[in-house]
Amino acid sequence: MSADNVYPVPQNVADHALLNRQQYDQMFKQSLADPNAFWAEQADQFLTWFKKWDTVNNSDLAKGHIAWFEGGQLNVSYNCIDRHLEAHGDRTAIIWEGDTPGDTRHISYKALHAEVCQLANALKARGVKKGDRVAIYMPMIPEAAVAMLACTRIGAVHSIVFGGFSPQALRDRIEASECQVVITADEGLRGGKPVPLKENVEKAIDGIAAVHTVVTVKRTGNPVSWSEPRDVWYHEIIDAASTECEPEPMDAEDPLFILYTSGSTGKPKGVLHTTGGYLLQAAMTHRYVFDYHEGEVYWCTADVGWVTGHSYIVYGPLCNGATTLIFEGIPTYPDASRFWQVIDDHQVNIFYTAPTAIRSLMGQGDELVKKTSRQSLRILGSVGEPINPEAWEWYYRVVGDERCRIVDTWWQTETGAIMISPLPGAIDLKPGSATLPFFGVNLELVDNDGNVLEGAVEGNLCITQAWPSMMRTIYGDHERFINTYLSTYAGKYFTGDGARRDEDGYYWITGRVDDVLNVSGHRMGTAEIESALVLHDAVAEAAVVGYPHDLKGQGIYCYVTLMGGIEPSDALQKELSDLVRKEIGPIAKPDVIQWAPGLPKTRSGKIMRRILRKVATNELDSLGDTSTLADPSVVDDLISNRAGQ
Ligand code: ATP
Ligand code: MG
């Protein structure tokens, strides 16, 4: 194992942070020793309740029953808006940066309140009741957040489908969660190109009689087909509605939303989250992981179609009274310095993005970053995949000017909130490690037989106690919930991810357990080999999978995307092979290197290794569910250029 770089917390950062190391240690200890007292205290501090709970935690992982704050009542939109009005009504809740530079809006908490109430009233007028499901299929415009909050105000359950999904994927999700209403826009706009959202909705709901209302926001103004009385314009129904709407008191365990996972590993799962526990942990992690100080501008680049957008664009930040930036565009339009320009334009203090974006912008060279100031930045975040140390160092050095703390946050749609992450003022950083668990998160590494592993070791990552923002079920399929997460290691939540714990107790996510290789009896994470490959200047991105190998059990198959302008060659292949050997050891030497102009990714930008595995083993008729693939043509190219073994 190569020696780790450590970036200790500078004293001035510790002094100004919400939590220092001593406080983290003390709170973490209490959170595990006396979870009921700990969470009761946090629930009091972070949320406003209409009625206090009777029991803090009534969960039993072995039985698949999860419940927090039963008997308590609250409303999410009230917590995210109303309670801030008196002291901070004029504060900007949402800064919107449109696809076209300079196209921006500032929405105060007061204005957000009025519009959320209007839409809530309009939905009620269309017959939407507590518990009804509403699909949201929208571009990244403020109305998307308004739609989410309006649902929560009246107790409707939203199910957001990423605006880049096809009509078929949208249809599957609308049917599976039995939505009666769809909220959309005429078109989206990304990188200057229109996205036909309303047209896609038409195709998706064709023949589904249950959908009685489609609300359409006018975004581009281009003509769309229209069918009354089903279709209504967003601006018309809200103009006709009152700006006051009483928030519906919801039980802590009432459903809040359904969200489908990205589909990296198989058929997407409709994850159900409930009200009290989810909101508490979203708010608390947002405050502590990003060390959010009042008045700061916070920007998460995710789409609201992913869980990161739910917890860290809308619910966490607004619950904390923060100013959250919503970005409609893409990182490379009009050019690849867009992120850094937006940071300067809006004086962003905290920036949260994904390794896929960091790696691709790193590939564009430093000049595009360096020509911007970025002086406002204080904290940088990463989420979605393991971040290779090489990309981490670039993020730290070039984007953050060696001044910003980096929080590499590990979590899942299912966990609802960040589970493993550094806290800026408390935890020393190691590039590539998500570091230590958040409060109340009891991690365990187990071997394949379920034996608990102690000390510095690698294994399957489990969580042994329920936490407030844990998913409650897979919508409509509780059995699948139990089988997928709670049965592999009885009584524990199994994440599906592998991890290594080092001598300092730091966690290093090695990738999906299905992707962990066993080469001649040695277990190896794909992330480790990929990180070695991207150390080479010629490599932009790499993905590694295993395939059956007569002698070694499993062989190492590497797909490598080169930097723009670099030509593949046998000499380069040898250099890469030698590099992996040198970095990890002879055992990790690649068996196959295939040049890949592009890698198959989900629409959230994650590499789909399961497809790469199928290509490597030549099982081309069983590629599995490919509906969440961003660009199917990438797969055709990989197949036709398959390397012989
Ligand atoms: P599906 O469950 O449908 O296969 P998915 O797991 O990609 O899709 P998400 O819930 O969006 O859907 O992603 C969670 C997964 O992303 C984690 O299980 C982990 O593998 C990976 N991940 C997220 N953050 C990190 C991180 N900071 N470091 C390493 N891996 C991460
Ligand atoms: Mg998953």
Side-chain angles (χ1 to χ4, degrees):
M1 213 60 56
S2 54
D4 307 320
N5 287 337
V6 179
Y7 293 82
V9 180
Q11 193 55 47
N12 66 323
V13 174
D15 290 345
H16 291 103
L18 296 173
L19 298 177
N20 60 28
R21 180 63 195 241
Q22 213 184 345
Q23 289 165 310
Y24 164 79
D25 286 341
Q26 186 264 323
M27 283 173 75
F28 184 73
K29 213 164 122 199
Q30 194 213 349
S31 74
L32 295 193
D34 191 357
N36 284 359
F38 177 84
W39 287 113
E41 197 182 318
Q42 302 304 323
D44 250 337
Q45 187 189 327
F46 277 88
L47 303 181
T48 304
W49 297 80
F50 296 147
K51 178 173 170 284
K52 276 283 159 66
W53 54 88
D54 303 322
T55 47
V56 175
N57 181 11
N58 183 19
S59 306
D60 185 343
L61 287 183
K63 294 206 177 94
H65 177 77
I66 322 294
W68 286 82
F69 307 111
E70 276 175 327
Q73 288 195 329
L74 74 168
N75 179 280
V76 169
S77 80
Y78 182 89
N79 274 276
C80 290
I81 312 173
D82 303 49
R83 64 178 180 146
H84 308 311
L85 292 178
E86 199 177 305
H88 306 297
D90 293 323
R91 176 185 289 168
T92 301
I94 295 172
I95 297 175
W96 179 69
E97 168 81 16
D99 188 55
T100 313
D103 188 6
T104 71
R105 285 167 65 189
H106 286 243
I107 298 163
S108 67
Y109 273 94
K110 224 186 256 168
L112 183 63
H113 176 262
E115 195 161 322
V116 166
C117 287
Q118 285 174 310
L119 183 60
N121 283 325
L123 291 174
K124 272 206 270 193
R126 298 288 296 196
V128 181
K129 304 179 307 297
K130 178 171 167 172
D132 288 353
R133 269 87 49 214
V134 172
I136 298 177
Y137 181 67
M138 283 175 89
M140 287 289 289
I141 54 180
E143 290 82 353
V146 173
M148 294 164 77
L149 291 160
C151 288
T152 72
R153 196 155 191 97
I154 60 177
V157 179
H158 61 67
S159 171
I160 307 189
V161 181
F162 172 54
F165 273 128
S166 67
Q168 186 60 45
L170 174 61
R171 184 186 187 88
D172 293 345
R173 286 162 180 72
I174 288 173
E175 282 187 321
S177 51
E178 304 162 292
C179 296
Q180 296 172 19
V181 173
V182 182
I183 307 179
T184 188
D186 50 1
E187 291 180 317
L189 203 55
R190 276 167 67 81
K193 296 192 194 77
V195 184
L197 296 176
K198 176 66 163 60
E199 193 185 311
N200 289 349
V201 171
E202 296 282 342
K203 290 182 192 150
I205 63 173
D206 185 37
I208 308 181
V211 177
H212 58 71
T213 297
V214 176
V215 179
T216 303
V217 176
K218 195 172 262 190
R219 169 65 187 96
T220 63
N222 288 328
V224 287
S225 67
W226 206 251
S227 157
E228 287 178 355
R230 186 200 66 195
D231 281 342
V232 289
W233 284 109
Y234 177 94
H235 60 273
E236 287 180 3
I237 57 168
I238 71 162
D239 281 352
S242 157
T243 55
E244 290 297 335
C245 172
E246 276 301 304
E248 182 79 31
M250 301 296 287
D251 288 340
E253 280 301 331
D254 277 336
L256 177 62
F257 65 81
I258 298 164
L259 179 64
Y260 290 83
T261 57
S262 327
S264 306
T265 54
K267 193 171 155 33
K269 301 168 281 275
V271 168
L272 181 89
H273 281 288
T274 56
T275 303
Y278 169 81
L279 188 64
L280 169 60
Q281 221 163 342
M284 188 178 167
T285 46
H286 172 261
R287 167 110 29 107
Y288 289 136
V289 170
F290 300 103
D291 191 44
Y292 185 81
H293 285 65
E294 202 167 318
E296 286 189 307
V297 176
Y298 162 90
W299 179 19
C300 164
T301 70
D303 192 282
V304 291
W306 313 123
V307 74
T308 306
H310 285 59
S311 302
Y312 299 110
I313 294 179
V314 179
Y315 293 125
L318 295 179
C319 192
N320 289 331
T323 297
T324 183
L325 193 148
I326 295 183
F327 176 49
E328 186 183 35
I330 57 173
T332 48
Y333 178 82
D335 67 36
S337 72
R338 185 70 189 277
F339 274 178
W340 328 124
Q341 298 283 357
V342 172
I343 287 168
D344 282 355
D345 289 348
H346 298 289
Q347 292 294 295
V348 172
N349 307 110
I350 301 162
F351 177 70
Y352 189 28
T353 195
T356 181
I358 299 166
R359 286 191 299 256
S360 81
L361 295 173
M362 181 170 79
Q364 310 269 343
D366 297 0
E367 212 21 62
L368 287 161
V369 189
K370 289 202 170 134
K371 70 177 193 185
T372 60
S373 153
R374 289 158 287 104
Q375 274 303 310
S376 56
L377 284 177
R378 198 167 70 78
I379 310 276
L380 299 172
S382 171
V383 62
E385 285 183 293
I387 176 166
N388 322 106
E390 179 76 357
W392 192 105
E393 297 275 0
W394 182 83
Y395 201 27
Y396 183 77
R397 215 168 15 84
V398 180
V399 177
D401 286 327
E402 303 184 25
R403 182 189 66 245
C404 303
R405 300 305 284 171
I406 294 193
V407 290
D408 173 6
T409 64
W410 176 88
W411 60 297
Q412 310 178 298
T413 310
E414 297 88 338
T415 68
I418 293 167
M419 296 279 108
I420 309 179
S421 171
L423 305 185
I427 295 168
D428 298 346
L429 305 174
K430 296 187 189 183
S433 171
T435 76
L436 299 175
F438 192 74
F439 306 124
V441 179
N442 204 351
L443 299 175
E444 227 169 57
L445 296 178
V446 302
D447 68 15
N448 289 343
D449 300 322
N451 302 307
V452 179
L453 305 169
E454 305 289 347
V457 70
E458 187 176 325
N460 305 314
L461 183 66
C462 294
I463 307 177
T464 63
Q465 289 170 8
W467 59 98
S469 65
M470 182 177 180
M471 73 183 291
R472 300 303 193 250
T473 191
I474 290 178
Y475 185 77
D477 197 349
H478 198 64
E479 187 122 350
R480 187 175 176 210
F481 167 62
I482 293 175
N483 289 338
T484 309
Y485 304 102
L486 304 173
S487 300
T488 317
Y489 305 108
K492 293 171 192 172
Y493 172 84
F494 175 44
T495 64
D497 286 350
R500 176 166 71 81
R501 186 170 48 219
D502 72 14
E503 315 69 47
D504 298 320
Y506 276 41
Y507 287 85
W508 302 71
I509 305 297
T510 48
R512 319 293 175 139
V513 165
D514 297 347
D515 295 328
V516 171
L517 310 181
N518 192 331
V519 183
S520 309
H522 297 265
R523 280 167 60 83
M524 232 176 293
T526 48
E528 223 172 339
I529 306 171
E530 289 159 9
S531 291
L533 288 165
V534 297
L535 284 176
H536 197 289
D537 285 344
V539 175
E541 213 166 13
V544 172
V545 297
Y547 70 96
H549 189 287
D550 289 346
L551 298 175
K552 307 202 262 182
Q554 265 188 314
I556 299 175
Y557 195 114
C558 310
Y559 297 85
V560 172
T561 307
L562 296 174
M563 291 280 190
I566 306 262
E567 286 301 318
S569 68
D570 290 350
L572 184 54
Q573 191 154 348
K574 170 135 194 342
E575 274 178 45
L576 293 179
S577 202
D578 291 346
L579 180 62
V580 176
R581 234 185 119 99
K582 179 173 139 275
E583 285 295 316
I584 308 177
I587 190 76
K589 187 176 164 308
D591 294 285
V592 182
I593 293 180
Q594 175 173 344
W595 308 115
L599 295 171
K601 294 192 176 174
T602 61
R603 281 163 212 263
S604 53
K606 297 186 205 211
I607 299 168
M608 288 166 97
R609 286 183 188 72
R610 66 182 161 94
I611 291 187
L612 293 173
R613 250 191 330 255
K614 294 286 183 188
V615 174
T617 53
N618 206 10
E619 294 170 81
L620 305 176
D621 5 330
S622 56
L623 290 180
D625 187 305
T626 52
S627 65
T628 62
L629 203 56
D631 177 6
S633 72
V634 167
V635 179
D636 301 335
D637 180 276
L638 290 176
I639 292 173
S640 51
N641 293 304
R642 249 187 99 248
Q645 292 157 27

